[in-house]
Amino acid sequence: MTLIVQKYGGTSIGTVERIQAVAKKIVKAKQAGLDIVVAVSAMSGETNRLINLAREISASPCARELDVVVSTGEQVTIGLLSLAIKELGVEAVSYTGSQVRILTDDAHGKARIQEIDAKNISQDLQQGRVVVVAGFQGVNNNGSITTLGRGGSDTTAVALAAALSAKECQIYTDVDGVYTTDPRVVERARRLDRITFEEMLEMASLGSKVLQIRAVEFAGKYGVPLRVLSSFEDGPGTLISAEEDGSMEKPVISGIAFNRDEAKLTLRGVPDTPGIASQIIGPIGDANIEVDMIVQNVGEDQSNDFTFTVHRSEYDKAVGVLNGVAKQIKAKEVVTDNRIAKVSIVGVGMRSHAGVASTMFRALANESINIQMISTSEIKISVVIEEKYLELAVRTLHTAFGLDMDGTG
Ligand code: ASP
Ligand code: MG
């Protein structure tokens, strides 16, 4: 029999009615002849509520006990969903992470799965049962409950799919798939039929928060095909899988990602000597500030301009650190700007097509949008622009690369 792992997120099972609707969907798939293992989140809002309860008692709660508290959200939903499936006349059985034995390391709150014992689940499937597993949780070698980090149910689902050699891991959520870009910015954004793991990682890290990044990495590593679907309407969703050997004519660019929460800092007149980059970025890292893009260029007088971007929430802190560095290394000046945004085009097709960058830059130039920084990877080109042009830039690129709903570029 074909085995499918399905994962339902918090909004999909946020009320009793929704749990009943999900049970119907599961039963339908079961009756179509599939073996079904389900991973579930807690009801929406529940994990936050539990964390807040713990915080009311302790400002910095013991990580082991916090995991005992927050893992209960999923224990409620596995029980309720199993009951709802049984009500429809299909046998179902629930398991917590430790009952399955999803073995993790000891890192409470961000534990990593080490091993899944598939024995019980396989037996239940053979008996014709639907198996409902609590997402987000596992157990360490000492028998303590652990949790995998926020959004961790996606990872549970992928890990189960890998351990059970499922045909597909289906992530049911409140959107009907992965889009070419944010439909709130581009009305003509399209749902993608498929996208590669690599592309999805680039899109996700740039703010398309459909899936937990770690789950996508995991799926890519183990070659588990992932499908994102709506739990509220029928449809094919978006398949995330490994790249196919070029049989189909694929679009060069799969999507446009963007991020408006960035800030840019430049040190002008930096001495052109070895060690300077580390003298600048070192203290930034020491202050726990994450750096995104970095560009360095030799200016007229053999001194460098050194520019980098950080998350906007770290802007003030970064400016403070950089002013100190500037004095130390005798840079000419610090110039900063926290009204910038980053726009990226993503696509594995870039590898085999020339002229993608020039198409991108021409499209932006036609709209008189100035590019302040550029960075590239094998399957992505990112530019930094003035924040106020963000929407225009995303729309323009979406059209320029033929991604609009009607397919015309
Ligand atoms: N309930 C957990 C959370 O809210 C895990 C999940 O939803 O995936 O983060
Ligand atoms: Mg969630």
Side-chain angles (χ1 to χ4, degrees):
M1 275 236 261
T2 305
L3 171 65
I4 303 285
V5 173
Q6 301 189 335
K7 182 257 171 175
Y8 292 92
T11 29
S12 306
I13 49 168
T15 62
V16 164
E17 291 72 26
R18 287 188 173 178
I19 289 175
Q20 288 167 325
V22 163
K24 272 197 196 133
K25 252 180 149 39
I26 293 168
V27 165
K28 210 168 126 193
K30 176 81 191 149
Q31 285 167 348
L34 297 168
D35 272 345
I36 307 288
V37 172
V38 188
V40 292
S41 296
M43 291 165 108
S44 54
E46 180 63 7
T47 307
N48 287 339
R49 190 184 74 86
L50 294 166
I51 292 172
N52 290 337
L53 280 178
R55 293 243 161 91
E56 270 180 48
I57 289 177
S58 168
S60 54
C62 157
R64 181 188 185 277
E65 303 314 327
L66 185 60
D67 274 353
V68 171
V69 175
V70 299
S71 62
T72 59
E74 276 76 8
Q75 186 164 339
V76 171
T77 47
I78 54 170
L80 292 176
L81 182 57
S82 299
L83 286 174
I85 296 169
K86 283 168 179 287
E87 283 295 314
L88 297 173
V90 171
E91 267 316 303
V93 57
S94 67
Y95 286 100
T96 64
S98 76
Q99 286 174 326
V100 174
R101 204 139 197 270
I102 297 179
L103 182 70
T104 73
D105 61 18
D106 300 330
H108 285 287
K110 47 174 194 294
R112 302 230 151 220
I113 297 176
Q114 292 176 331
E115 207 179 283
I116 293 184
D117 184 348
K119 209 170 49 253
N120 288 335
I121 295 180
S122 299
Q123 267 167 18
D124 287 314
L125 291 173
Q126 265 165 26
Q127 307 284 321
R129 297 185 189 111
V130 171
V131 178
V132 184
V133 180
F136 177 56
Q137 56 177 262
V139 64
N140 69 11
N141 249 324
N142 306 323
S144 298
I145 296 172
T146 55
T147 64
L148 310 179
R150 298 309 303 270
S153 304
D154 287 355
T155 299
T156 304
V158 173
L160 284 168
L164 297 161
S165 307
K167 177 160 172 267
E168 198 171 282
C169 180
Q170 303 179 337
I171 308 282
Y172 287 86
T173 175
D174 46 4
V175 293
D176 67 349
V178 179
Y179 276 67
T180 49
T181 194
D182 188 339
R184 285 168 302 189
V185 171
V186 180
E187 234 174 77
R188 288 152 86 197
R190 269 190 294 120
R191 181 184 53 77
L192 290 158
D193 284 327
R194 58 184 307 165
I195 183 171
T196 68
F197 292 121
E198 270 178 295
E199 288 169 326
M200 187 63 215
L201 286 172
E202 294 286 8
M203 297 284 281
S205 63
L206 293 162
S208 324
K209 302 177 195 72
V210 207
L211 277 172
Q212 201 201 25
I213 293 179
R214 194 170 139 199
V216 181
E217 278 168 359
F218 204 115
K221 188 166 158 201
Y222 291 94
V224 176
L226 267 179
R227 192 183 290 276
V228 176
L229 313 111
S230 162
S231 42
F232 304 121
E233 48 193 89
D234 289 329
T238 300
L239 178 68
I240 306 158
S241 62
E243 200 173 338
E244 278 186 343
D245 296 332
S247 52
M248 275 187 307
E249 190 58 42
K250 276 169 290 184
V252 179
I253 298 303
S254 291
I256 318 282
F258 58 86
N259 184 349
R260 57 175 103 234
D261 308 319
E262 300 230 349
K264 185 178 79 163
L265 299 93
T266 301
L267 262 183
R268 279 208 219 290
V270 174
D272 187 20
T273 52
I276 281 293
S278 96
Q279 279 184 61
I280 298 169
I281 290 302
I284 295 285
D286 293 343
N288 256 325
I289 301 169
E290 216 178 294
V291 173
D292 183 17
M293 283 191 194
I294 303 178
V295 172
Q296 185 200 260
N297 231 332
V298 183
E300 295 151 22
D301 50 354
Q302 291 307 304
S303 72
N304 291 333
D305 282 354
F306 192 99
T307 304
F308 59 95
T309 62
V310 297
H311 195 274
R312 198 173 289 170
S313 62
E314 315 244 67
Y315 173 72
D316 290 332
K317 198 160 126 196
V319 172
V321 174
L322 202 60
N323 279 326
V325 172
K327 269 199 208 95
Q328 239 173 37
I329 64 172
K330 302 200 169 54
K332 270 199 205 97
E333 56 175 338
V334 176
V335 186
T336 64
D337 184 354
N338 66 355
R339 291 278 152 238
I340 57 150
K342 184 168 80 171
V343 183
S344 309
I345 57 174
V346 176
V348 290
M350 237 181 252
R351 289 198 188 112
S352 49
H353 282 77
V356 176
S358 70
T359 302
M360 180 185 198
F361 302 157
R362 196 179 328 112
L364 295 173
N366 285 343
E367 296 296 336
S368 304
I369 299 171
N370 189 37
I371 300 172
Q372 303 180 6
M373 288 171 86
I374 301 169
S375 84
T376 65
S377 79
E378 224 189 332
I379 64 161
K380 179 182 77 176
I381 303 173
S382 304
V383 297
V384 166
I385 59 172
E386 216 180 313
E387 189 194 8
K388 68 178 181 199
Y389 295 122
L390 177 63
E391 272 88 0
L392 177 62
V394 174
R395 275 199 301 275
T396 301
L397 294 171
H398 200 267
T399 304
F401 285 100
L403 296 175
D404 289 348
M405 190 86 88
D406 58 9
T408 54

